[in-house]
Amino acid sequence: MFYIFCPYCKEHREEEEFHARGQAHLMRPSDPDNTSDEEWGDYLFFRNNPRGIHHEMWVHSVGCRKFFNITRNTVTYEILETYPMGEQPTITAATPDVRHEQGVQVADGGWQTVGARPESKALNEEASS
């Protein structure tokens, strides 16, 4: 189990209190009447699934019930930061070495208690260093 910092409650809470709601910072088409079916399909159904730094929208469903964003490393499950809706992340794929005390969530040995180790030996060695 790991803990997630809620930027509204201002405290770390157990992961069971939260639910992921998808990719953060999606922009709705600015002119819906003149948007093609393909553009609507891309907006509604297709999401990025990067290996590494990713921004996600979560909800504190058992607590304050507010939505917020998380910057998370999808390889290690490390949560690098949490921030309220409407704000921009301070950590991006271009700045992965930045750490914030508030949101770092790494279990003993560098692995989260949820999820599995990467499938290749090279990736396991890379993540351990």
Side-chain angles (χ1 to χ4, degrees), residues 103-115:
V104 175
Q105 305 278 326
V106 180
D108 291 341
W111 293 99
Q112 288 291 353
T113 55
V114 297

Side-chain angles (χ1 to χ4, degrees), residues 2 6 9 18 28 33 46 52 73 77 80 84 91 94-95 97-98 106 116:
F2 62 101
C6 176
C9 297
F18 301 90
R28 184 179 173 89
D33 293 333
F46 293 100
N73 186 325
Y77 290 93
L80 302 172
I91 301 171
T95 61
D97 294 333
V98 179
V106 180

Side-chain angles (χ1 to χ4, degrees), residues 2-19 56-71 79-85 87 101-105:
F2 62 101
Y3 292 87
I4 297 174
F5 181 82
C6 176
Y8 298 105
C9 297
K10 303 287 188 210
E11 59 186 4
H12 287 86
R13 303 302 300 251
E14 293 179 357
E15 65 181 293
E16 286 87 11
E17 291 190 14
F18 301 90
H19 290 96
E56 303 168 335
M57 182 172 49
W58 286 61
V59 63
H60 192 179
S61 55
V62 179
C64 63
R65 301 189 330 179
K66 293 184 179 179
F67 285 84
F68 62 96
N69 295 317
I70 286 180
T71 302
I79 296 174
L80 302 172
E81 69 178 335
T82 62
Y83 53 98
M85 296 298 286
E87 292 186 11
E101 290 291 323
Q102 163 221 36
V104 175
Q105 305 278 326

